[in-house]
């Protein structure tokens, strides 16, 4: 028998403030049509001045726990993917742990930028598969509005804030691709490309810094690497594109999503798309899209899901789940 990490609950949280594209027309040389045509984004959410990443994560966590019909005290581990934690330390995950009333488990952050949730899922899966945890809360949460250069129309219009969460629980499976739960993972990184997407601040500069991106190069790497990692993850478990019910990609840019789906051989009618409403929420984008997909009745129990993402590092990867 094989221990599988099975999804028991999913939830998300978005800040109240909705920022339409038209709002940027007041301060930048841009238009709603320019933004939509290049990214597919129509609006995004920004956190309130007094909201932190952990605040967003806590709300998403509570929603996922409610769907799973679990109490926070029943969770063995919390893995939180973020690049915008409240503080340098302690981890945002420990703040969530306290807020949900968990005192017996353990919690830690994962930092792989937009690929963070894929990395967090892979870590959570390993904890369950190895018997180190039976129930793991996996969260992606970001407040990217705090690290934007508001004079750079090529980046500041793309990002938003939000959080999504999954509750995973160990179940015995047969070891085949018919099992429910996480079936395979594929993780990659290549530090040669660190200058394509980064924040120009941190401990070394003693500044928060702002996001910098070479958009055309990131786009090129994204399409190639996302399709390949998804193919690899499917091959590991003996599945192919025709077996996929839904691709739930990192929601960065509609053109990347469309190009990757085409390269993977999956029609857009089998892709969950939320980028128009949320923008790029980095590590939060996949769990947000999963939660919306479930809420909209798209994702159902037994469906084969492929998630894939790429972010600064460059870091990228994919996870195959039978819901």
């Amino acid at each position: 028998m094989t221990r599988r990490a099975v999804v028991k609950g999913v939830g998300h949280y978005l800040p109240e403030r909705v920022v339409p594209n038209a709002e940027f027309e007041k301060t930048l040389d841009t238009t709603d049509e320019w933004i939509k045509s290049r990214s597919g984004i129509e609006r995004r959410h920004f956190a309130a001045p007094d909201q932190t990443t952990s605040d967003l994560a806590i709300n998403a966590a509570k929603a996922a726990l409610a769907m799973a019909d679990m109490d926070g005290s029943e969770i063995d581990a919390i893995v939180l993917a973020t690049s915008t934690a409240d503080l340098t330390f302690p981890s945002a995950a420990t703040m969530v742990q306290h807020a949900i009333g968990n005192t017996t488990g353990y919690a830690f952050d994962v930092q792989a930028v937009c690929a963070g949730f894929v990395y967090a899922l892979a870590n959570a899966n390993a904890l369950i598969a190895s018997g180190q945890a039976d129930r793991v809360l996996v969260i992606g949460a970001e407040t990217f509005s705090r690290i934007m250069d508001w004079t750079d129309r090529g980046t500041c219009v793309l990002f938003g804030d939000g959080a999504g969460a999954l509750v995973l629980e160990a179940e015995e499976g047969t070891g085949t691709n018919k099992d429910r739960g996480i079936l395979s993972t594929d993780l990659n990184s290549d530090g040669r490309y660190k200058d394509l997407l980064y924040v120009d601040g941190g401990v070394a500069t003693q500044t928060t810094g702002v996001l910098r991106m070479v958009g055309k190069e990131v786009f090129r790497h994204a399409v190639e690497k996302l399709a390949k990692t998804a193919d690899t993850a499917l091959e590991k478990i003996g599945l192919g594109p025709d077996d996929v019910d839904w691709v739930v990609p990192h929601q960065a840019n509609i053109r990347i999503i469309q190009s990757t789906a085409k390269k993977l051989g999956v029609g857009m009618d089998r892709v969950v798309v939320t980028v128009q409403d949320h923008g790029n929420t980095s590590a939060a984008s996949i769990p947000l899209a999963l939660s919306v997909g479930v809420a909209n009745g798209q994702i159902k129990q037994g469906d084969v899901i492929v998630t894939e993402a790429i972010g600064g590092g460059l870091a990228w990867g994919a996870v195959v789940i039978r819901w």
Side-chain angles (χ1 to χ4, degrees), residues 129-313:
S130 64
Q132 295 182 75
D134 291 326
R135 296 185 182 95
V136 183
L137 176 61
V138 191
I139 308 167
E142 302 283 15
T143 50
F144 258 54
S145 62
R146 306 277 161 76
I147 54 169
M148 289 293 101
D149 176 355
W150 298 110
T151 66
D152 180 6
R153 72 171 186 168
T155 58
C156 71
V157 301
L158 302 178
F159 293 87
D161 303 336
L166 266 64
V167 176
L168 301 175
E169 184 173 36
E171 284 188 8
E172 292 296 332
T174 62
T176 71
N177 59 28
K178 302 299 182 185
D179 291 343
R180 283 187 66 205
I182 294 177
L183 300 178
S184 68
T185 64
D186 181 64
L187 301 180
N188 310 267
S189 65
D190 191 335
R192 289 178 297 173
Y193 303 113
K194 68 180 180 64
D195 293 333
L196 298 184
L197 179 56
Y198 66 99
V199 169
D200 60 3
V203 174
T205 61
Q206 296 188 45
T207 62
T208 301
V210 293
L211 183 143
R212 303 297 182 193
M213 180 172 68
V214 184
K216 289 182 179 179
E217 283 299 298
V218 172
F219 186 104
R220 182 176 66 83
H221 282 283
V223 174
E224 171 199 344
K225 290 175 168 56
L226 289 175
K228 184 175 181 180
T229 189
D231 270 332
T232 300
L234 286 166
E235 288 171 7
K236 285 182 178 181
I237 196 63
L239 296 173
D242 291 343
D243 300 305
V244 176
D245 294 293
W246 293 102
V247 175
V248 184
H250 170 48
Q251 307 285 322
N253 181 304
I254 190 62
R255 293 185 298 152
I256 293 175
I257 293 171
Q258 291 168 339
S259 298
T260 302
K262 183 178 180 180
K263 201 172 183 66
L264 187 59
V266 175
M268 285 300 294
D269 59 332
R270 289 190 284 151
V271 180
V272 175
V273 180
T274 61
V275 68
Q276 70 279 358
D277 296 321
H278 305 155
N280 183 345
T281 55
S282 190
S285 78
I286 287 176
L288 265 170
L290 286 169
S291 184
V292 170
V294 170
N296 288 346
Q298 295 168 288
I299 298 172
K300 300 178 177 65
Q301 185 170 317
D303 284 353
V304 173
I305 311 296
V306 176
T307 68
E308 30 86 348
I310 187 168

Side-chain angles (χ1 to χ4, degrees), residues 53 80-87 92 109-116 140-144 147 199 208 211 281-284 311-312:
T53 294
L80 194 158
T82 188
S83 298
T84 52
D86 304 8
L87 304 169
D109 288 356
V110 169
Q111 212 279 51
V113 199
C114 297
E142 302 283 15
T143 50
F144 258 54
I147 54 169
V199 169
T208 301
L211 183 143
T281 55
S282 190

